[in-house]
Amino acid sequence: YYLSTTVRSYDDLLIAISTIGQDPNLSLKTKKELTVDLVRKTRPHLSTENWNNFKRALNGDDGNSILPSLKFLHQLRSTLWII
């Protein structure tokens, strides 16, 4: 379903990734895999400026933190298992 989503802009990409991240039926690993596949599919259609904006939103930079809707991509599954 998610990979058939039509992404025509940077905003569409963020909305699609946010939707994946909020899906309670998917494991964290599946959310990450779907996001990577969607980004790979969308990358050729993004301008260089939009691609750079996405990288900043994903990784943060000096003045900005990571976009909240992308934080699930930074979660480590193993930290949940440590007692």
Side-chain angles (χ1 to χ4, degrees), residues 36-52:
V36 167
D37 290 343
L38 184 63
V39 169
R40 283 183 178 150
K41 176 184 154 193
T42 305
R43 171 62 182 112
H45 306 291
L46 289 179
S47 68
T48 302
E49 180 182 351
N50 282 337
W51 180 245
N52 289 332

Side-chain angles (χ1 to χ4, degrees), residues 12-72:
D12 288 347
L13 178 62
L14 292 181
I15 290 168
I17 292 173
S18 178
T19 303
I20 292 170
Q22 294 175 12
D23 190 333
N25 298 315
L26 300 175
S27 69
L28 181 59
K29 180 179 180 179
T30 302
K31 290 176 184 182
K32 289 180 177 186
E33 288 173 344
L34 285 171
T35 300
V36 167
D37 290 343
L38 184 63
V39 169
R40 283 183 178 150
K41 176 184 154 193
T42 305
R43 171 62 182 112
H45 306 291
L46 289 179
S47 68
T48 302
E49 180 182 351
N50 282 337
W51 180 245
N52 289 332
N53 288 340
F54 177 71
K55 289 193 296 189
R56 278 192 296 277
L58 179 62
N59 299 313
D61 60 14
D62 295 334
N64 300 312
S65 60
I66 298 167
L67 197 64
S69 60
L70 302 178
K71 284 190 176 187
F72 75 94

